[in-house]
């Protein structure tokens, strides 16, 4: 954008009108495939950890229920809900990022 174009715009629109020309480009970085593999492995590790946390939480919930330990039962329920939410977040992470990336690309 030339300086003459910038001075023709009103001051409050000056910062919003500047376009830096940056857009995502696949394959632009070396090691991008390795980074994808690492992120996929971290996601898999998180899902496996959530399965373990869910199993422990359900066990605590059942133990608290059968022994009359109301606090243990409540903590087991809480752990089960948090584990389910974490599983939902980990499973939907790619779709959430893709949704907001597509939404952000529509902003002009």
């Amino acid at each position: 954008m030339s300086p003459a174009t910038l001075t023709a715009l009103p001051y409050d629109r000056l910062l919003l009108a500047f376009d830096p020309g940056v857009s995502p480009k696949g394959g632009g970085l070396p090691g991008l495939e390795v980074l994808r593999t690492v992120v996929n492995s971290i996601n898999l590790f998180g899902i496996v950890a959530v399965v373990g946390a869910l199993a422990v939480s359900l066990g605590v919930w059942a133990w608290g229920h059968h022994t009359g330990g109301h606090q243990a039962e409540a903590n087991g329920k809480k752990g089960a809900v948090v584990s389910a939410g974490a599983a939902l977040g980990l499973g939907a992470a790619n779709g959430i990022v893709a949704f907001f990336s597509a939404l952000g690309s529509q902003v002009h």
Side-chain angles (χ1 to χ4, degrees):
M1 202 174 247
S2 69
T5 308
L6 288 176
T7 56
L9 295 172
Y11 181 73
D12 60 340
R13 302 284 183 226
L14 185 63
L15 295 177
L16 295 176
F18 182 71
D19 180 18
V22 177
S23 63
K25 178 184 174 196
L29 276 176
L32 191 58
E33 257 330 290
V34 173
L35 182 61
R36 268 194 201 116
T37 304
V38 168
V39 170
N40 287 339
S41 299
I42 291 170
N43 195 3
L44 176 65
F45 178 77
I47 289 172
V48 169
V50 164
V51 169
L54 183 60
V56 169
S57 296
L58 292 175
V60 169
W61 185 358
W63 175 74
H65 177 74
H66 289 294
T67 60
H70 300 294
Q71 187 171 359
E73 184 179 0
N75 287 338
K77 286 179 188 178
K78 225 183 322 184
V81 169
V82 169
S83 298
L88 177 68
L90 286 168
N94 196 29
I96 291 169
V97 170
F99 171 76
F100 283 108
S101 177
L103 193 64
S105 68
Q106 296 174 4
V107 176
H108 295 287

